[in-house]
Amino acid sequence: MKCQRCGSEPFERFRGGMYCRECFAVKYEGAVESAVRRYRMIGENERVLAAVSGGKDSVAMLSVLEKLKKRFRFEFSSLFIDLGIGDYTRNSKRIVEDICKKLDIELHVVRLCDYGFTIDDVSGKTCSVCGNVKRYIMNRFARENGFDSVATGHCAEDILSNFLKNLYSGNIQWSEKQRPRLDGYDRMVTKIRPLYEMGERENILYVLSRGLPFVEDECPHAPSTIWKEMVYDIERRIPGFKISVLRNLARERREDSAEYRYCRICGEITSSDICQFCRNVARFSRNQ
Ligand code: AMP
Ligand code: FES
Ligand code: ZN
């Protein structure tokens, strides 16, 4: 079988058709572009900060944003957060630096150790502390440096597995925060997810089709994959489940009535007196 678009050597299937490397990449970029338009993810002249871990998803996002920036007329730079997870972080940082150099994208690096601790100092609940740290640093860095939005590489399976987890734990309202575009307010910067409708397998094939390097090792603290396996299982039984739930979730819009305050220590938005990030600093900092 040949590429159905140009007749060259086939590379992989994309949404029903067989394509060569170049045509696969073009079709993938077209699908991301459609989602960016569908959800009005990026406004004209917006300054976007792309958060890059070096994994397949965020590398795919970086490459597509680079292709789309002229058409949508936005500017963008990237951010890598050095979480201090031993060789995993050192390797990821090197790969992110290489990609940004190759694609000619400005890269900012924020080190968690400058706040007094690293993820390797955290005992128990590592992933939830890490999630809090990443959200805090992305938001604060973006705001303090004049960015309008933060883009992350969350893919379809990330959104859906989080949705199932939230449903299970009785925190369904948290899924509201995973919309393709979540407008900012007060000190919170807008969040966008350009790969909202893309599957992780599509992301990896795209990165390969464009010949970009990416971090292949898993974080040593990686959470269980059971929720993602459930998403794949449901999709196998009910084809079309993923896209249907994603589009329904994107339509869902509740009034944001939650009260918020400002952290007594750092001034960021929080639901209590001291924000979770400052609590983490107090708990894990080596300087205490
Ligand atoms: P995760 O929280 O690991 O599922 O990653 C979700 C998204 O957060 C990634 O696709 C990236 O956009 C962003 N991200 C994760 N880790 C980092 C990091 N160390 N530095 C910058 N962005 C990150
Ligand atoms: Fe945060 Fe693994 S990247 S715990
Ligand atoms: Zn705080």
Side-chain angles (χ1 to χ4, degrees):
M1 193 186 273
K2 299 277 183 207
C3 168
Q4 68 180 60
R5 196 163 165 262
C6 76
S8 321
E9 276 306 295
F11 166 64
E12 261 296 340
R13 291 201 159 274
F14 183 78
R15 306 194 174 178
M18 179 59 90
Y19 299 99
C20 67
R21 267 174 203 273
E22 177 58 26
C23 294
F24 181 96
V26 169
K27 291 301 272 185
Y28 174 97
E29 286 157 3
V32 179
E33 180 175 345
S34 303
V36 169
R37 281 190 205 286
R38 169 188 292 270
Y39 301 117
R40 296 190 176 85
M41 257 186 258
I42 312 178
E44 213 168 287
N45 301 324
E46 232 172 69
R47 281 195 73 207
V48 179
L49 180 68
V52 199
S53 62
K56 59 190 186 323
D57 303 321
S58 53
V59 170
M61 172 181 77
L62 209 59
S63 168
V64 184
L65 288 180
E66 181 56 28
K67 303 265 173 210
L68 297 184
K69 76 175 187 198
K70 279 213 183 79
R71 205 162 311 152
F72 285 83
R73 297 203 202 101
F74 62 86
E75 282 176 45
F76 90 104
S77 308
S78 57
L79 168 70
F80 175 76
I81 303 169
D82 179 335
L83 297 161
I85 311 177
D87 285 345
Y88 172 73
T89 294
R90 275 188 285 277
N91 184 30
S92 308
K93 182 163 176 266
R94 192 177 39 77
I95 290 177
V96 169
E97 284 168 347
D98 281 357
I99 296 165
C100 288
K101 206 165 169 195
K102 192 168 174 181
L103 300 177
D104 195 20
I105 298 167
E106 183 184 26
L107 172 66
H108 304 273
V109 177
V110 174
R111 301 185 315 168
L112 179 58
C113 65
D114 292 339
Y115 287 94
F117 74 108
T118 70
I119 292 301
D120 277 349
D121 299 324
V122 175
S123 46
K125 297 212 166 173
T126 313
C127 282
S128 88
V129 173
C130 181
N132 165 262
V133 158
K134 287 187 286 201
R135 288 189 297 275
Y136 182 95
I137 292 178
M138 285 173 200
N139 187 69
R140 189 164 162 185
F141 182 87
R143 191 190 66 240
E144 290 178 349
N145 291 280
F147 289 94
D148 301 302
S149 59
V150 174
T152 52
H154 290 98
C155 66
E157 292 85 6
D158 292 329
I159 312 280
L160 292 166
S161 55
N162 281 332
F163 170 68
L164 291 180
K165 250 189 275 180
N166 294 339
L167 185 64
Y168 171 75
S169 62
N171 293 306
I172 191 77
Q173 73 284 3
W174 290 354
S175 286
E176 170 81 353
K177 299 222 183 321
Q178 298 216 73
R179 298 164 55 77
R181 177 179 169 108
L182 191 67
D183 285 321
Y185 59 94
D186 200 313
R187 295 178 193 187
M188 298 303 278
V189 175
T190 295
K191 307 292 177 324
I192 62 171
R193 306 183 205 290
L195 307 187
Y196 186 82
E197 292 196 353
M198 310 309 290
E200 54 182 0
R201 186 171 171 275
E202 293 174 333
N203 296 343
I204 205 167
L205 288 170
Y206 170 68
V207 167
L208 293 173
S209 73
R210 282 284 178 224
L212 292 168
F214 64 99
V215 179
E216 293 182 50
D217 343 320
E218 275 290 327
C219 162
H221 310 290
S224 146
T225 56
I226 185 155
W227 295 99
K228 266 194 189 168
E229 286 163 28
M230 297 211 345
V231 171
Y232 283 113
D233 195 37
I234 305 176
E235 180 71 23
R236 208 165 27 245
R237 290 157 186 259
I238 312 173
F241 166 82
K242 287 199 296 191
I243 194 68
S244 172
V245 176
L246 285 168
R247 294 205 174 150
N248 289 335
L249 279 175
R251 259 200 301 274
E252 191 75 13
R253 189 186 282 275
R254 291 189 200 90
E255 283 307 307
D256 195 356
S257 57
E259 295 263 313
Y260 62 85
R261 318 189 223 171
Y262 304 106
C263 170
R264 196 150 53 78
I265 297 175
C266 72
E268 294 294 309
I269 285 181
T270 170
S271 55
S272 52
D273 198 27
I274 295 178
C275 79
Q276 190 56 47
F277 181 80
C278 289
R279 282 172 210 256
N280 287 333
V281 171
R283 184 159 168 214
F284 302 113
S285 179
R286 298 169 192 176
N287 310 324
Q288 304 288 314

